[in-house]
Amino acid sequence: MPVRALNQQQLAQALRLQRQRLGLTQSDLAKQSGLLPKTISALENKPGSCQLSSLLKLLMALDLNLGLLEKPDPTNAAQTDW
């Protein structure tokens, strides 16, 4: 199910929840992704302070994709809400 993260907090929460769904610790995920455990922690708490390459490695290890969506047209909100 797609998750829309509109800010850093929502992205951090989505990353943490996916790791937990997979039953992984931060150390487990660090080993799988090739990142340091402190980088996993940083991405789960303040992703804006991390490098894009680290985020992409983490997404790959979590079996997640990054998608880009256009912002909905506010004049046509009734159609985009559904």
Side-chain angles (χ1 to χ4, degrees):
M1 178 163 141
V3 174
R4 187 177 283 193
L6 301 175
N7 57 46
Q8 290 182 35
Q9 291 174 327
Q10 291 174 349
L11 176 58
Q13 182 179 20
L15 295 172
R16 186 179 314 105
L17 288 174
Q18 179 68 1
R19 177 181 57 78
Q20 292 170 344
R21 279 189 199 111
L22 295 174
L24 299 170
T25 65
Q26 288 183 347
S27 294
D28 295 334
L29 188 53
K31 290 174 190 170
Q32 285 187 10
S33 65
L35 298 168
L36 296 172
K38 69 179 184 177
T39 304
I40 304 296
S41 178
L43 283 161
E44 289 186 359
N45 290 291
K46 193 173 179 187
S49 66
C50 298
Q51 293 184 1
L52 180 59
S53 60
S54 296
L55 174 61
L56 294 174
K57 285 180 184 180
L58 183 62
L59 292 172
M60 186 177 291
L62 290 171
D63 295 324
L64 294 174
N65 292 314
L66 177 65
L68 301 174
L69 303 171
E70 289 185 32
K71 289 183 180 180
D73 181 356
T75 61
N76 201 8
Q79 290 181 352
T80 59
D81 288 345
W82 300 101

